[in-house]
Amino acid sequence: MAQSRKRILLVGAGGVIGRAVHEALRASHEVITAGLADADHVFDLADAKATAQALGTMGELDAVVSTAGRAHFRPLAAIEPAALEDSVYGLGLRDKLLGQVNLALAARAVLREGGSITLTSGTTSDEPILGGSSLSMVNGAIEHWAMAAATELPRGLRLNVVSPSLVEGTPAPAVAAFPGFELVSGARVALAYLRCLESGITGRVIRV
């Protein structure tokens, strides 16, 4: 059965994964893009106030999809104890973790009944790499937060997470940090986001 046309906010549309998801969605749905630059709406995911204000200008949505989030790569030997504002871990905690959490929380006010929220974690949640402790921390936290939060969402709203491996087109320096990992196509990863959007699942982590 054909899916109805949806109005979707795609945060991180300019990234490798975001571009693949945009390509998969735009023929069948109205996609509103957001990101740090070159998007319909420009805001920093780490700025909770800016995120909520931006969503407040968009009108009703059927879905919010995030393929965004930054964190530092750094060897553990180079990471010293520090307060959040000074920590190497601070970027990942403020941006990829709390940024996506705040996006999902703000989305409740603009999503229509039965709407969908899809966040992005990553393979390091259960496949650690050298220098990737920040990524492992925030990716694991996103997944477990979403599983819990999905049980409390109102009005039939759904919340899922896609955990992608490395995607074709990822810059070479990032690929080098994942020795032995298989690159997957953007089209294959985009299917996981479509599943979250167009099926009835909630509280799930879809690994690609």
Side-chain angles (χ1 to χ4, degrees):
M1 181 168 50
Q3 297 290 330
S4 60
R5 186 172 177 84
K6 293 179 171 63
R7 192 164 186 264
I8 301 168
L9 171 64
L10 174 58
V11 182
V16 173
I17 296 173
R19 291 194 298 271
V21 174
H22 193 191
E23 181 65 26
L25 294 177
R26 64 182 183 177
S28 302
H29 303 287
E30 178 189 352
V31 181
I32 302 163
T33 61
L36 290 170
D38 300 324
D40 298 326
H41 294 268
V42 175
F43 61 88
D44 187 345
L45 196 61
D47 185 335
K49 184 176 180 180
T51 297
Q53 287 178 339
L55 263 66
T57 68
M58 296 179 193
E60 288 190 321
L61 300 169
D62 296 295
V64 172
V65 177
S66 171
T67 61
R70 299 171 292 171
H72 286 306
F73 284 86
R74 197 70 55 85
L76 195 67
I79 302 176
E80 298 295 334
L84 178 61
E85 59 271 18
D86 300 316
S87 175
V88 168
Y89 293 131
L91 176 64
L93 292 170
R94 290 190 303 270
D95 191 287
K96 187 165 188 181
L97 176 56
L98 195 54
Q100 290 195 98
V101 167
N102 283 328
L103 177 69
L105 294 174
R108 295 173 299 179
V110 296
L111 283 170
R112 297 185 176 109
E113 185 171 353
S116 169
I117 304 166
T118 306
L119 308 180
T120 297
S121 61
T123 191
T124 56
S125 61
D126 54 10
E127 296 289 347
I129 61 168
L130 294 175
S133 62
S134 181
L135 289 169
S136 291
M137 176 169 57
V138 300
N139 287 339
I142 289 165
E143 293 174 5
H144 288 278
W145 177 82
M147 286 188 286
T151 67
E152 298 187 55
L153 287 174
R155 301 184 294 107
L157 300 181
R158 298 182 297 108
L159 172 61
N160 296 288
V161 178
V162 175
S163 175
S165 187
L166 286 179
V167 181
E168 292 173 355
T170 298
V175 173
F178 290 78
F181 282 69
E182 180 181 0
L183 291 173
V184 297
S185 71
R188 180 181 168 194
V189 170
L191 288 175
Y193 291 88
L194 285 171
R195 181 180 173 190
C196 293
L197 176 67
E198 296 183 348
S199 74
I201 62 173
T202 191
R204 296 283 303 278
V205 178
I206 307 301
R207 306 191 188 279
V208 187

